[in-house]
Amino acid sequence: MKRLESKLNTASAEFQANAAHNRKLAEAFKAMQHKVRHERPERDIQRLKAQDKMFVRERLKQLLDPGTPFLELSSLAANEAYEGDVPGAGVVTGIGVVSGREVMINAGDASVKGGAWYPLSVKKTVRALDVAIENRLPVVHLCDSAGGFLPLQAELFADKYYAGRIFRNQCMLSKMGVQQVAIVLGHCTAGGAYVPGLSDYNVIVRGTGAIFLAGPPLVKAATGEEVTVDELGGCDMHTSISGTADYPASSEEEAIAIARDIVAQFKRPDKTRTEWLPPEAPFYDPAELYGVLPRDIKQGFDIREVIARLVDGSRFHEYQPAYGKTLICGYAHLWGYKIGILANNGVLFNDSALKGAHFIQLCNQNRTPILFLQNITGFMVGKEYEQRGITKDGAKMIMAVSNSEVPKFTVMCNGSFGAGNYGMSGRAFDSRFLFSWPQSQISVMGAEQAANTLADVKIRQLARHGKQLTADDVAAIRDPVVAEFKRKSSAYYSTSEIWDDGILDPVDTRNALGIAISAALNTPIGDPRYGIFRM
Amino acid sequence: MKPTTNSVPDPAVLEATRSRAASWPFRSVLIANRGEIAVRILRTVQTLGLEGVVVYHAADRKAPAVQMADQAIEITGATPVAAYLDAKQILAAAKSSGAGAIHPGYGFLSENAGFARAVAEAGLVFVGPTPEQIELMGDKVRARAFVEKGGFPVAPSAIEDDDPATFAERALKVPFPLLIKPAAGGGGKGMRIVREPGQLKAELERARSEGQRYFGDGRLYVERYIENPRHIEVQVLGDAHGNVVHLFERECSVQRRFQKIVEETPSPALSPELRKRICETAAGIAREAGYRNAGTVEFIFGAGGAPGTGNGAGNPEFYFLEMNTRLQVEHPVTEMITGKDLVLEQLRVAAGEKLGFTQEQVTSSGHSIEFRIYAEDASRGYTPTTGPVLVLRPPQGEGVRVDSGIVEGQDVTAAFDPMLAKLIVTGRDRTEAIARADKALAEYALLGCITNTAFLRRLLNHQAFVDGAVHTGFLDAHPEIAAQPELTPATLHKLLAASALMTKPMRDVADLVPDMHAAIGSWSN
Amino acid sequence: MHHAFKLEENEYNLELSRGPAGYRLHLADRTIPVNLHLEDDGSAVLTVNGRSEKVLVATRGDDVFIHLGGVAYQLRYEHPLQRLAAQAQGSAEDHVRAPMPGSLVALHAKPGQTVARGESLLVMESMKMETTIAAPRDGVVESVHFAIGQTFDRDALLLSLVAAIVEGKKS
């Protein structure tokens, strides 16, 4: 496998300007993430202290193996919802290493609204458990939640992917033999009680932990019975009388130590064997990714410059280098794992779509996980391309992507517009993990195009009524549409809505993908099987 | 290159003794002792072609002497120590093993006249003095009177009981400063120092009331008080034919809780004239007693301006303290500078031979220091430590001798005296000996039970020790030597690193992490 | 920082992790690359911060013995579960331990007996000296772990105390 040769002039003004621009974006992202992770109103910090509780980040530090990575998922979930008042959607999820096992962490953050579940908290939790199911990752639940946020209960309670799905997913995991341990660090009330209840093991902290279907006030209201928290669902009651909880702990630290010891009892997964070579750092510095990405999303760049800064030794075996050149396909190793890469180098034409569909089948045939690097404005439009069957060629690619048995990973490197999003394994296509770079955008079409389309419709309507629009009128129609489109196509909106598994600083992508691939190999890869390819 | 230290014993002496030993009245020697001294004695016994028999308590089953002996016989007791004090069992063991002589070593039964007598009555040879000599020297009052009568120096004193009416008067005749001691006392309680004759009366009153309070006995005695005294002793050797020689002195001033820790020869406190005087005094006392066997005459020594001692002006003085009628723990330093094997000489004398050399033929060359390796924690008031001997690496090298009673796999328990071994380091001069000792102590590794080697190094490198300016109260005056020095962060990090890497639960946590995650390390997106 | 070692009277929290080559020692204020390679002759090469030196190491139970730079050290490992459980079960004052090796010569308290701080609990003998062990706090004797005449090592648990009154919620 030969090394890609970078054509980039890192001394050029263009490179320097790009680097400065993208570095600033990455810094802004990191600053925002830091705020979401660590900054809380003083009263919330004081409340935790008064309750003798650790901050969720401290709990994670104690839980995770020292000197090991933690791939946090959707760190900026809900950052554009609820007026920004629910940082991280009040939940911390991610893949970490506990007692040498890769596990999914699902940790309530009691410093955010007492850990109340908002609709996006539920979505984030369900997604984390979906990841656990798809990748057979044991789960450690750190339970500290006040329960569902009642004013928004209609948006989190009853629908298929609402709160019930959390418990359904726990049951699926259990059936699959994927183990779960819950640490009860606060009150687990009502539905929340089922998180420890449905875990294979649970640990409860004396004094602060409690499990019950209804707390003392509700019990009093319902039956008139007066009862204390400890009597109703405290540590000693549940571990010695009801058997609802397994291990009593006298402190959070002890509870976490016990949970670590429980995870140490878990059977370690038999990893799916795929091609692997000893890892090698990329030859080209990943930090140069900042200079690769253009300042203007409309400006093109060679995606091979990105590949060269992600993969082992910057080595790449390119498939069909002379055919369908707007879609780069080929093999590489990432943290030692062999992967197939599909990466956009322009709009998808018939040949590039066919090449992509073919390459996906190759990867399935030889059990090679696939990485999609999206920078796509869509499939080519126009009479010539429709006559050549661009729709049915695109359909072939989507068919291959959808039915792919090998795990897929997607990085939104830059633009992701139109059906290109689908062909390149967008969110709906069950990539095991999907990450976005800070400047990337997703929408059905570009903001300008969309605004023009909408303005044209309006102009034609008015013209039918014999009305003429001034330039100001057109601007008044276009500008709000452009603004709204821009907001909702930004990576920050996408990640707020959990359309991805989080924004990544580009330099972090290699590690994130390594951890993701390793997790994905917990699940066996099925034999390739597809639907009908429209020929 | 000529070695810088003597070989002990001289090979020619050994060879000659071996051939004569074939006709000794005993062909087998039972060693009624344990630990390093049992090994030490066995070595000479076996080198001479004699059979070595040891008795041992079960707690010593793994001890090297038991492994080394030609015969090892188990003895029992209410406590392990009691077993080694049980004369009956030991004599029975001697009988059953066919031993013709018993060597008592030091401690235990070594200065028990009754035992010496019982050995003789059993028709066996006791490797030691006559029971009468043991009795004489074992009674401190009789010994002192005996020595004084012979015209040898004893500390001037006045005993109230001799004549209570004239006590105060007699006390005033003792040269000042004085030390008042309760007759019934011990452990330093009720002792008072009097520097001015005018204060004597008042101090006697106080001491009497203290004695009354502590011991219910107000009787007193006074003796000459020596400031910063040194403990100097002289090795003597006598045969059954009236010959007595000395083998020079040993300085044993570095003590903790009245027990010696470091002994050396020659003493840095003595001028050649003084050395001659004190050694001849010791030989004279032994001669006066018709002493047979190896023995040690102990003196208290006040430098009073002797070179290099920093003890102020005055005349050096020394007084008889006591005589030990046995082989001494610290005998090896004497062996190293004289080239004489003291155990060999003891056996020769016991076999009835005459001393093989005259006083003129005893010479001294080089400087030798012994360090007692104790299982104890100096920083905790020298409290004993216990534990298994997991790793044992005694030092080696030129001028380094280790007399050890332990091996890997043995347990150090509280059942016995905490002395595990002795490191004897010899050089051409004191400076060389100290340098070799520092290296040897650093190399002396014993894991599983804390020992005093680090403390001994701190002591060795203390300026006062380097200058030879020590006295029996030296360690009390310098508690910083015993204190655990502050750990540097670098040392602490090394210790924690090694500990963590040796601890399975910690290593498991690290080793179970998958390779890639370990390589990525503490990263988060 | 779950794991800990005790050296003399001090407790040090630390963690160990594995790096691409060797290990990392995580202390409260720093992370240090470390490694330990056991040689055939029973010695070991300890590498800390890239600097190597020869040491001797041995373990027995939770005790680690290290001969380093001419000095022998003894450290005791404290397993997180033990340490945290012990913290939960009350202070070290509940456990009366032997200050030095020795034997029990007299017992002044029996299980169930209420004792006041400073009251004599037992007398031990070491180095021919008797040492009286007094109650570190007010409490009730829960159990006595040695009989008269028995010998023990330093730090052996001689006697356990419990609080005289059942304490309420942990403050």
Side-chain angles (χ1 to χ4, degrees):
Chain A
M1 217 180 272
K2 77 177 196 316
R3 179 173 295 136
L4 284 166
E5 197 184 328
S6 178
K7 308 272 188 333
L8 214 57
N9 177 3
T10 55
S12 72
E14 180 68 8
F15 180 92
Q16 297 295 340
N18 286 346
H21 174 79
N22 287 304
R23 210 180 281 277
K24 206 176 272 174
L25 292 182
E27 279 163 12
F29 160 65
K30 291 273 179 185
M32 185 156 179
Q33 205 171 38
H34 184 269
K35 190 167 169 238
V36 162
R37 283 175 177 166
H38 301 288
E39 290 178 21
R40 296 288 180 273
E42 186 57 28
R43 62 183 157 80
D44 291 324
I45 294 166
Q46 289 309 325
R47 200 186 55 238
L48 282 190
K49 260 196 196 137
Q51 294 174 336
D52 207 11
K53 285 181 177 179
M54 282 192 264
F55 186 44
V56 64
R57 298 287 160 180
E58 182 55 32
R59 289 172 177 168
L60 288 185
K61 202 176 153 220
Q62 301 227 355
L63 174 66
L64 297 168
D65 284 357
T68 60
F70 179 58
L71 175 59
E72 186 170 344
L73 301 180
S74 299
S75 58
L76 297 187
N79 80 93
E80 297 209 351
Y82 323 124
E83 279 144 8
D85 266 359
V86 190
V91 185
V92 182
T93 64
I95 298 174
V97 181
V98 175
S99 296
R101 277 92 176 153
E102 300 162 73
V103 299
M104 174 59 69
I105 308 289
N106 168 32
D109 183 351
S111 72
V112 177
K113 309 283 179 194
W117 285 356
Y118 280 70
L120 284 169
S121 322
V122 170
K123 189 173 182 185
K124 185 168 170 178
T125 307
V126 169
R127 170 62 192 160
L129 297 181
D130 279 344
V131 171
I133 289 172
E134 289 167 9
N135 302 288
R136 302 200 179 173
L137 284 167
V139 185
V140 180
H141 303 274
L142 276 68
C143 308
D144 195 356
S145 163
F149 182 64
L150 289 178
L152 293 177
Q153 65 85 21
E155 289 154 60
L156 63 83
F157 176 58
D159 199 7
K160 178 164 179 178
Y161 292 104
Y162 287 179
R165 195 75 179 182
I166 295 173
F167 314 122
R168 176 268 182 194
N169 276 358
Q170 282 193 271
C171 297
M172 292 303 111
L173 282 166
S174 189
K175 183 173 77 173
M176 292 163 67
V178 180
Q179 300 202 274
Q180 298 171 73
V181 54
I183 312 174
V184 180
L185 301 153
H187 290 187
C188 294
T189 316
Y194 291 116
V195 175
L198 292 169
S199 294
D200 302 316
Y201 299 88
N202 65 46
V203 188
I204 181 167
V205 179
R206 186 173 290 117
T208 45
I211 307 169
F212 28 56
L213 290 185
L218 210 61
V219 169
K220 179 141 198 287
T223 66
E225 186 184 16
E226 290 206 33
V227 65
T228 67
V229 166
D230 280 344
E231 291 167 340
L232 189 62
C235 166
D236 293 314
M237 194 288 282
H238 276 316
T239 53
S240 63
I241 298 174
S242 76
T244 303
D246 302 323
Y247 302 82
S250 295
S251 64
E252 292 201 3
E253 205 187 0
E254 189 187 8
I256 291 169
I258 293 171
R260 283 181 53 81
D261 211 43
I262 291 169
V263 175
Q265 313 310 315
F266 289 1
K267 181 185 176 297
R268 292 195 289 160
D270 299 319
K271 293 273 183 188
T272 299
R273 278 177 63 102
T274 59
E275 287 299 313
W276 186 88
L277 288 175
E280 185 187 4
F283 176 76
Y284 295 106
D285 184 355
E288 289 170 1
L289 284 169
Y290 297 127
V292 172
L293 300 173
R295 303 188 294 288
D296 179 354
I297 195 156
K298 290 199 287 289
Q299 200 185 323
F301 63 93
D302 188 350
I303 197 75
R304 275 175 289 224
E305 299 290 355
V306 170
I307 295 171
R309 286 159 184 85
L310 290 179
V311 303
D312 289 8
S314 306
R315 298 174 202 282
F316 187 59
H317 171 98
E318 189 168 345
Y319 170 70
Q320 286 190 339
Y323 180 74
K325 286 155 82 173
T326 57
L327 182 67
I328 305 297
C329 295
Y331 299 113
H333 286 261
L334 191 147
W335 269 112
Y337 299 107
K338 188 176 186 190
I339 53 171
I341 296 176
L342 282 84
N344 304 116
N345 238 5
V347 74
L348 286 162
F349 293 102
N350 300 73
D351 54 357
S352 24
L354 289 171
K355 175 181 171 182
H358 187 91
F359 186 69
I360 290 166
Q361 291 180 73
L362 287 175
C363 289
N364 273 276
Q365 195 70 263
N366 59 32
R367 299 288 196 277
T368 304
I370 304 173
L371 171 63
F372 293 89
L373 299 175
Q374 287 207 15
N375 179 24
I376 181 65
T377 49
F379 287 94
M380 194 62 206
V381 296
K383 192 173 106 183
E384 182 192 346
Y385 300 99
E386 292 294 357
Q387 282 184 353
R388 285 200 212 157
I390 187 71
T391 301
K392 72 174 188 178
D393 288 344
K396 289 189 190 86
M397 190 171 172
I398 292 169
M399 181 66 75
V401 165
S402 301
N403 289 317
S404 186
E405 286 288 336
V406 296
K408 304 186 294 273
F409 307 89
T410 304
V411 178
M412 297 298 179
C413 295
N414 205 36
S416 174
F417 300 112
N421 172 282
Y422 300 163
M424 292 294 289
S425 199
R427 188 60 155 179
F429 294 83
D430 288 334
S431 283
R432 296 286 180 89
F433 295 87
L434 189 153
F435 299 108
S436 308
W437 285 355
Q439 88 302 351
S440 68
Q441 295 177 17
I442 301 174
S443 57
V444 69
M445 58 180 78
E448 301 286 333
Q449 289 167 279
N452 289 339
T453 308
L454 284 171
D456 284 351
V457 171
K458 195 84 182 170
I459 291 163
R460 277 204 299 276
Q461 267 178 4
L462 292 170
R464 276 203 291 279
H465 294 91
K467 283 186 191 156
Q468 284 272 317
L469 287 181
T470 65
D472 282 356
D473 291 337
V474 173
I477 294 166
R478 274 189 83 251
D479 292 354
V481 175
V482 170
E484 181 69 355
F485 238 87
K486 277 199 168 149
R487 186 173 83 82
K488 292 195 168 169
S489 58
S490 86
Y492 284 93
Y493 185 80
S494 181
T495 209
S496 177
E497 291 296 309
I498 318 179
W499 296 348
D500 61 21
D501 295 309
I503 296 180
L504 289 178
D505 181 336
V507 298
D508 284 337
T509 309
R510 176 176 160 82
N511 284 347
L513 288 172
I515 294 165
I517 296 166
S518 171
L521 295 178
N522 286 347
T523 305
I525 297 172
D527 291 333
R529 206 160 67 85
Y530 306 91
I532 305 298
F533 288 101
R534 180 170 293 279
M535 298 296 175
Chain B
M1 212 177 86
K2 187 177 171 283
T4 56
T5 52
N6 293 310
S7 57
V8 178
D10 185 304
V13 171
L14 176 64
E15 211 30 65
T17 312
R18 266 175 80 99
S19 46
R20 286 200 316 280
S23 52
W24 281 358
F26 49 84
R27 292 292 303 145
S28 168
V29 180
L30 181 140
I31 296 142
N33 216 304
R34 60 175 299 280
E36 67 86 19
I37 196 63
V39 176
R40 161 71 193 92
I41 297 164
L42 263 180
R43 200 173 61 228
T44 294
V45 165
Q46 291 178 335
T47 320
L48 288 174
L50 304 172
E51 189 186 40
V53 182
V54 297
V55 288
Y56 70 96
H57 180 268
D60 277 331
R61 195 184 304 277
K62 293 179 194 163
V66 177
Q67 309 304 318
M68 223 176 124
D70 300 297
Q71 282 190 67
I73 296 163
E74 185 171 340
I75 50 176
T76 57
T79 64
V81 167
Y84 290 99
L85 288 171
D86 189 335
K88 241 172 140 177
Q89 279 190 79
I90 291 167
L91 284 168
K95 273 259 161 9
S96 72
S97 65
I102 294 182
H103 194 308
Y106 52 69
F108 296 124
L109 295 166
S110 62
E111 287 172 295
N112 184 320
F115 180 66
R117 211 162 264 134
V119 172
E121 281 162 11
L124 305 172
V125 175
F126 181 70
V127 183
T130 64
E132 293 71 29
Q133 288 165 346
I134 296 177
E135 268 163 353
L136 170 66
M137 291 304 172
D139 181 330
K140 303 303 167 207
V141 177
R142 268 185 68 199
R144 188 179 186 283
F146 174 82
V147 168
E148 194 172 15
K149 198 166 141 245
F152 301 105
V154 295
S157 65
I159 300 167
E160 185 165 27
D161 278 356
D162 287 352
D163 180 10
T166 60
F167 177 52
E169 204 179 308
R170 283 182 289 126
L172 272 174
K173 288 191 184 136
V174 175
F176 277 68
L178 303 181
L179 185 65
I180 309 175
K181 290 180 176 176
K189 276 184 186 143
M191 296 212 290
R192 308 196 73 83
I193 298 164
V194 189
R195 294 178 196 282
E196 301 294 328
Q199 294 167 346
L200 179 66
K201 204 162 167 256
E203 292 294 342
L204 281 174
E205 296 294 311
R206 272 186 215 118
R208 192 180 308 287
S209 88
E210 279 181 16
Q212 197 72 50
R213 195 161 63 231
Y214 287 127
F215 311 108
D217 182 343
R219 290 172 308 135
L220 303 171
Y221 76 97
V222 300
E223 66 178 24
R224 165 91 168 121
Y225 174 69
I226 292 176
E227 307 264 8
N228 295 338
R230 303 178 77 120
H231 176 115
I232 294 177
E233 62 186 28
V234 177
Q235 177 71 53
V236 295
L237 190 61
D239 63 21
H241 308 278
N243 302 306
V244 170
V245 296
H246 71 78
L247 290 92
F248 301 102
E249 83 290 5
R250 292 185 291 257
E251 157 108 38
C252 315
S253 297
V254 182
Q255 305 185 353
R256 59 115 180 86
R257 273 203 325 261
F258 311 110
Q259 243 189 341
K260 300 163 189 168
I261 300 182
V262 179
E263 302 99 340
E264 63 183 301
T265 185
S267 161
L270 299 183
S271 63
E273 298 75 40
L274 260 175
R275 189 181 194 201
K276 193 161 184 285
R277 248 173 67 202
I278 204 166
C279 290
E280 282 175 358
T281 301
I285 292 169
R287 204 169 286 123
E288 184 82 15
Y291 190 73
R292 182 189 86 185
N293 184 39
T296 298
V297 184
E298 296 188 341
F299 296 95
I300 184 166
F301 177 86
T309 57
N311 276 348
N315 291 317
E317 52 188 327
F318 61 87
Y319 303 109
F320 171 79
L321 209 54
E322 62 180 49
M323 179 169 181
N324 296 319
T325 54
R326 53 171 161 84
L327 189 66
Q328 203 88 337
V329 175
E330 57 272 25
H331 76 275
V333 292
T334 299
E335 295 186 325
M336 297 317 293
I337 63 152
T338 60
K340 307 286 184 221
D341 179 333
L342 288 173
V343 175
L344 180 148
E345 300 302 336
Q346 277 189 300
L347 292 168
R348 250 175 104 154
V349 168
E353 287 193 16
K354 282 185 183 173
L355 290 182
F357 44 83
T358 64
Q359 185 66 63
E360 288 65 39
Q361 288 169 316
V362 182
T363 55
S364 151
S365 72
H367 195 101
S368 187
I369 314 176
E370 175 184 276
F371 298 85
R372 299 193 185 187
I373 309 299
Y374 280 110
E376 69 182 18
D377 189 340
S379 69
R380 293 173 194 269
Y382 306 98
T383 51
T385 53
T386 55
V389 181
L390 301 172
V391 172
L392 179 64
R393 299 288 166 91
Q396 293 171 333
E398 196 180 357
V400 174
R401 164 175 168 184
V402 175
D403 283 14
S404 169
I406 48 164
V407 284
E408 278 183 13
Q410 227 182 314
D411 282 315
V412 176
T413 69
F416 298 110
D417 180 88
M419 196 182 84
L420 303 177
K422 303 176 312 204
L423 168 68
I424 304 100
V425 182
T426 310
R428 274 164 297 203
D429 53 26
R430 193 165 186 266
T431 308
E432 187 177 67
I434 286 177
R436 284 178 174 174
D438 189 47
K439 183 166 172 287
L441 283 168
E443 286 170 4
Y444 207 136
L446 190 159
L447 298 184
C449 175
I450 291 295
T451 71
N452 64 338
T453 51
F455 157 76
L456 290 171
R457 279 184 79 199
R458 294 198 293 276
L459 166 63
L460 173 72
N461 288 300
H462 192 280
Q463 193 56 48
F465 186 85
V466 173
D467 293 342
V470 292
H471 54 88
T472 55
F474 173 68
L475 286 173
D476 288 334
H478 293 280
E480 76 278 5
I481 302 174
Q484 194 78 44
E486 191 84 14
L487 276 183
T488 64
T491 302
L492 177 63
H493 296 159
K494 287 177 196 170
L495 293 175
L496 293 176
S499 300
L501 287 161
M502 287 297 288
T503 299
K504 191 166 185 300
M506 294 205 69
R507 199 134 179 173
D508 284 348
V509 167
D511 287 343
L512 279 173
V513 172
D515 290 342
M516 181 191 71
H517 297 79
I520 293 176
S522 315
W523 167 92
S524 188
N525 54 316
Chain C
M1 296 285 164
H2 282 297
H3 298 264
F5 278 94
K6 224 172 158 190
L7 173 57
E8 299 293 330
E9 304 311 320
N10 300 313
E11 190 180 80
Y12 300 95
N13 286 298
L14 71 171
E15 299 281 5
L16 188 69
S17 74
R18 194 160 63 95
Y23 293 82
R24 308 181 202 94
L25 179 70
H26 302 261
L27 302 173
D29 58 344
R30 70 188 79 194
T31 298
I32 304 168
V34 299
N35 214 344
L36 186 75
H37 180 75
L38 296 174
E39 306 275 298
D40 291 339
D41 66 353
S43 67
V45 175
L46 174 69
T47 308
V48 173
N49 263 328
R51 284 201 156 137
S52 295
E53 68 188 287
K54 228 172 182 170
V55 297
L56 284 168
V57 283
T59 59
R60 194 215 196 192
D62 287 332
D63 287 318
V64 182
F65 301 91
I66 304 164
H67 190 82
L68 170 87
V71 181
Y73 300 89
Q74 177 174 4
L75 293 91
R76 177 162 293 176
Y77 174 62
E78 295 183 323
H79 192 281
L81 290 174
Q82 259 161 2
R83 187 169 59 87
L84 294 166
Q87 275 174 13
Q89 278 159 19
S91 64
E93 295 197 328
D94 288 339
H95 307 292
V96 179
R97 294 181 183 278
M100 61 190 97
S103 63
L104 189 63
V105 295
L107 204 52
H108 297 153
K110 56 177 189 293
Q113 187 179 329
T114 304
V115 293
R117 181 163 177 268
E119 199 175 318
S120 166
L121 296 175
L122 53 89
V123 180
M124 61 167 286
E125 192 203 84
S126 179
M127 303 180 296
K128 297 162 198 140
M129 285 194 311
E130 291 191 352
T131 307
T132 300
I133 310 286
R137 66 170 176 89
D138 296 351
V140 174
V141 177
E142 188 187 46
S143 46
V144 180
H145 305 285
F146 286 88
I148 288 174
Q150 281 188 310
T151 58
F152 41 76
D153 290 340
R154 185 161 84 83
D155 276 344
L157 182 60
L158 301 177
L159 184 145
S160 303
L161 289 175
V162 287
I165 311 145
V166 176
E167 284 175 88
K169 234 177 96 173
K170 208 183 113 208
S171 58

